[in-house]
């Protein structure tokens, strides 16, 4: 039986932002019902202890996020949440004190990625306030600034990043500039249980992208799998449109799906350092693991 370090469960396909780096989903807007969430956890329990409430969509839009965390705790799961952070003040009472909550990832690049963003200080103030209390409760915090370019950032982009980093440096009384400590793809510990990671801008794979030679490796179906809000199982958290549809947990069990022929072909292909699926051959993330 395949086991995974993590399984992504998309609890909503809806987002409150329209970031330039994140293509809008063509799938139906949907929110996962609590009973369906509980049944999903029962299906994946033999395969993992860690769930991530994210693929597409903003998880803090889910009106019953607190109930989902309670269900996860009852069933023995630890939960990671990735959020743009804009709704943290509204939802802090639903998150704080929840024993299932292991880690919160804040995509700070969402602020500049969304054209209508205003009040950077207020945005970060709300996040910092939550983080202070959450970290004291043992929650791991990861601030993400994933907007670096292969070429140098423009002066405007550098200035906006510096404004964000400066606010963090001030908040945590750092005696260094964060850029001096972080290499792209890496991070720095800025306080107890609190980290900042910088990386190049994330690009979602697309069938419209150019195809490469298909060589390389990926952790899809090896350390992770993902379940979209409608129950569709995909190999990883990057297949936000369900292109590699391995099956649906409402018709076939998760265990059967991840041991199915298509899933095994993907797994065995990457064991040979070959991408057998078209979408995988058009995914730049695979290049991070070498060929």
């Amino acid at each position: 039986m395949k086991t995974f370090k993590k399984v992504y469960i998309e609890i909503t396909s809806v987002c409150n932002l329209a970031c330039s780096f994140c293509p809008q989903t063509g799938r139906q807007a949907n929110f996962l019902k609590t009973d369906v969430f509980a049944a999903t956890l029962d299906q994946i329990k033999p395969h993992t202890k860690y769930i991530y409430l994210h693929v597409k969509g903003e998880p803090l839009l889910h009106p019953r996020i607190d109930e989902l965390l309670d269900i996860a705790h009852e069933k023995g799961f630890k939960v990671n949440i990735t959020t743009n952070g804009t709704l943290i003040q509204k939802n802090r009472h639903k998150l704080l004190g929840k024993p299932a909550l292991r880690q919160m990832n804040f995509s700070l690049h969402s602020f500049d990625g969304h054209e209508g963003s205003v009040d950077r200080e207020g945005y970060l103030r709300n996040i910092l306030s939550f983080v202070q209390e959450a970290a004291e409760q043992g929650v791991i915090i990861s601030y993400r600034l994933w907007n670096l370019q292969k070429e140098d950032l423009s002066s405007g982009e550098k200035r906006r990043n510096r404004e964000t980093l400066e606010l963090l440096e001030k908040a945590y009384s750092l005696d260094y500039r964060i850029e001096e400590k972080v290499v792209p793809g890496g991070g720095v510990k800025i306080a107890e249980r609190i980290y900042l990671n910088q990386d190049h801008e994330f690009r979602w794979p697309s069938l419209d992208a150019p195809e490469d030679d298909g060589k390389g490796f990926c952790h899809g179906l090896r350390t992770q799998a993902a379940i979209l809000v409608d129950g569709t199982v995909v190999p990883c958290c990057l297949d936000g449109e369900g292109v590699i549809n391995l099956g649906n947990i409402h018709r076939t069990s998760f265990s059967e799906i991840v041991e199915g022929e298509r899933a095994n072909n993907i797994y065995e292909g990457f064991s040979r350092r070959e991408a057998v699926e078209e979408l995988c051959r058009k995914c730049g993330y695979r290049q991070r693991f070498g060929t």
Side-chain angles (χ1 to χ4, degrees), residues 9-16 30-32 52-66 68-69 79-87 91 94-95 103-105 107:
I9 301 177
E10 183 184 69
I11 59 174
T12 180
S13 55
V14 180
C15 190
N16 61 323
N30 203 352
F31 289 85
L32 197 62
Y52 285 57
L53 303 186
H54 184 68
V55 177
K56 285 285 187 74
E58 168 50 52
L60 298 192
L61 276 174
H62 199 292
R64 297 187 171 181
I65 184 73
D66 50 343
L68 300 185
L69 287 169
V79 179
N80 290 31
I81 295 176
T82 298
T83 173
N84 59 44
T86 57
L87 303 174
N91 286 278
K94 294 183 177 183
L95 302 171
Q103 180 168 330
M104 291 285 295
N105 305 315
S107 299

Side-chain angles (χ1 to χ4, degrees), residues 111-165:
F111 183 87
D112 290 316
H114 179 70
E115 189 175 341
S117 295
V118 294
D119 189 13
R120 186 188 310 272
E121 287 194 33
Y123 165 72
L124 285 170
R125 188 186 311 118
N126 287 337
I127 292 174
L128 288 164
S129 173
F130 169 83
V131 164
Q132 180 178 0
E133 195 165 348
E136 289 173 356
Q137 294 179 1
V139 179
I140 300 167
I141 303 296
S142 175
Y143 295 124
R144 294 175 172 180
L145 205 53
W146 291 0
N147 62 355
L148 301 178
Q149 305 293 327
K150 298 299 182 182
E151 303 78 25
D152 285 341
L153 288 171
S154 70
S155 58
E157 289 169 320
K158 285 182 178 178
R159 176 180 53 78
R160 289 191 291 271
N161 268 4
R162 179 92 291 275
E163 289 174 3
T164 295
L165 294 174

Side-chain angles (χ1 to χ4, degrees), residues 23-95:
Q24 300 300 297
T25 181
R27 295 182 286 118
Q28 183 178 358
N30 203 352
F31 289 85
L32 197 62
K33 292 181 171 59
T34 53
D35 60 336
V36 177
F37 179 73
T40 299
L41 295 189
D42 289 338
Q43 288 205 39
I44 69 170
K45 190 163 188 176
H47 300 273
T48 192
K49 293 180 180 178
Y50 298 93
I51 56 175
Y52 285 57
L53 303 186
H54 184 68
V55 177
K56 285 285 187 74
E58 168 50 52
L60 298 192
L61 276 174
H62 199 292
R64 297 187 171 181
I65 184 73
D66 50 343
E67 295 178 39
L68 300 185
L69 287 169
D70 290 340
I71 292 168
H73 177 61
E74 290 167 10
K75 295 183 178 295
F77 288 89
K78 289 297 183 180
V79 179
N80 290 31
I81 295 176
T82 298
T83 173
N84 59 44
T86 57
L87 303 174
I88 195 64
Q89 184 66 18
K90 180 180 177 181
N91 286 278
R92 60 182 295 146
H93 66 289
K94 294 183 177 183
L95 302 171

Side-chain angles (χ1 to χ4, degrees), residues 149-197:
Q149 305 293 327
K150 298 299 182 182
E151 303 78 25
D152 285 341
L153 288 171
S154 70
S155 58
E157 289 169 320
K158 285 182 178 178
R159 176 180 53 78
R160 289 191 291 271
N161 268 4
R162 179 92 291 275
E163 289 174 3
T164 295
L165 294 174
E166 193 171 284
L167 288 167
L168 291 173
E169 290 160 4
K170 182 178 180 181
Y172 293 101
S173 302
L174 303 183
D175 59 0
Y176 57 86
R177 289 166 69 98
I178 289 173
E179 301 98 320
E180 298 169 358
K181 299 278 189 177
V182 181
V183 295
V188 60
K189 182 177 181 179
I190 59 176
E192 190 63 31
R193 288 186 287 276
I194 302 173
Y195 303 82
L196 184 134
N197 299 85

Side-chain angles (χ1 to χ4, degrees), residues 246-258:
L246 300 174
N248 192 292
I249 61 169
H250 303 315
R251 295 186 287 274
T252 309
S253 74
F254 181 81
S255 296
E256 288 181 76
I257 291 171
V258 296

Side-chain angles (χ1 to χ4, degrees), residues 194-213:
I194 302 173
Y195 303 82
L196 184 134
N197 299 85
Q198 280 197 281
D199 208 340
H200 291 102
E201 182 176 308
F202 178 79
R203 297 194 182 279
W204 289 87
S206 167
L207 291 178
D208 296 328
E211 189 170 316
D212 60 25
D213 62 6

